């Protein structure tokens, strides 16, 4: 499937490699932004990886989606992760090209906050972090830094969260 395509219509996405591949820790490694509402499936077959949308998934209009594979896709023989593997598509006529980057520190210790979700909301209401999933999000690395690519030009509410139940919502 062609990467960076516009006017994308929901379809299975197939990535073909020149070597046999394996998948590891898909649930924690694969990050999709904006988040999908339904479950998705990632499978491998020899030298290919296939991403399948749920039949009932409805993609947002005029939105740029990024599937970040993290370290999930690996060379079968050596076990090396495919570096910086991303699949980007837009349901509109162009790919959004802005980016947001920064770092998150633990407010108590001052240390870098690792594995924290950094979420961007186009709804600016105070309660949005409890009621809606973010429009875009990224995850901090071991240094507490994050980068969210392919963001549209707009004003966003930014919120950082350790999401222990993986639902992208703030809960006490």
């Amino acid at each position: 499937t062609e990467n960076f395509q516009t006017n994308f219509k929901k379809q299975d996405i197939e990535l073909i490699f020149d070597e046999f591949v394996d998948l590891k820790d898909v649930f924690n490694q694969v990050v999709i932004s904006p988040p999908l509402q339904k479950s998705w499936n990632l499978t491998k077959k020899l030298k290919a990886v296939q991403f399948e949308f749920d039949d009932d998934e409805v993609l947002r209009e005029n939105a740029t989606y990024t599937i970040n594979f993290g370290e999930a896709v690996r060379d079968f023989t050596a076990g090396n992760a495919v570096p910086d593997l991303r699949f980007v598509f837009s349901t509109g006529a162009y790919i959004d090209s802005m980016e947001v980057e920064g770092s998150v520190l633990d407010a108590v210790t001052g240390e870098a906050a690792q594995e924290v979700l950094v979420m961007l909301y186009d709804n600016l209401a105070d309660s949005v972090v409890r009621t809606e999933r973010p429009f875009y999000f990224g995850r901090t690395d071991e240094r507490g830094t994050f980068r969210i690519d392919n963001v549209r030009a707009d004003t966003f509410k930014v919120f950082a969260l350790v999401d222990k139940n993986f639902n992208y919502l703030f809960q006490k």
Side-chain angles (χ1 to χ4, degrees), residues 101-157:
E101 61 184 4
S103 59
V104 178
L105 301 176
D106 184 298
V108 175
T109 66
E111 299 290 323
Q114 299 177 26
E115 296 299 314
V116 171
L117 284 180
V118 178
M119 303 179 290
L120 304 179
Y121 296 88
D122 53 358
N123 178 345
L124 303 180
D126 288 343
S127 62
V128 71
V129 297
R130 294 178 181 271
T131 60
E132 292 181 24
R133 297 171 80 183
F135 197 85
Y136 299 106
F137 71 94
R139 195 178 312 270
T140 60
D141 60 17
E142 65 279 354
R143 298 172 314 216
T145 61
F146 70 91
R147 182 169 141 177
I148 305 169
D149 292 316
N150 302 105
V151 175
R152 72 174 188 239
D154 204 345
T155 301
F156 295 97
K157 176 183 281 290

Side-chain angles (χ1 to χ4, degrees), residues 9-50:
K9 303 292 184 220
K10 188 176 75 172
Q11 61 184 301
D12 291 347
I13 297 167
E14 186 173 53
L15 306 175
I16 301 172
F17 300 90
D18 59 2
E19 298 180 21
F20 291 101
V21 294
D22 198 12
L23 296 175
K24 184 176 181 182
D25 197 21
V26 170
F27 181 72
N28 291 312
Q29 290 295 320
V30 179
V31 177
I32 303 162
S33 184
L36 300 174
Q37 298 299 314
K38 306 290 182 180
S39 62
W40 46 268
N41 193 33
L42 188 67
T43 57
K44 67 166 175 95
K45 186 174 183 182
L46 303 175
K47 295 181 179 182
V49 171
Q50 187 162 358

Side-chain angles (χ1 to χ4, degrees), residues 65-77:
Y65 284 82
T66 302
I67 303 172
N68 292 291
F69 290 91
E71 296 185 357
V73 180
R74 299 174 169 269
D75 174 271
F76 182 80
T77 306

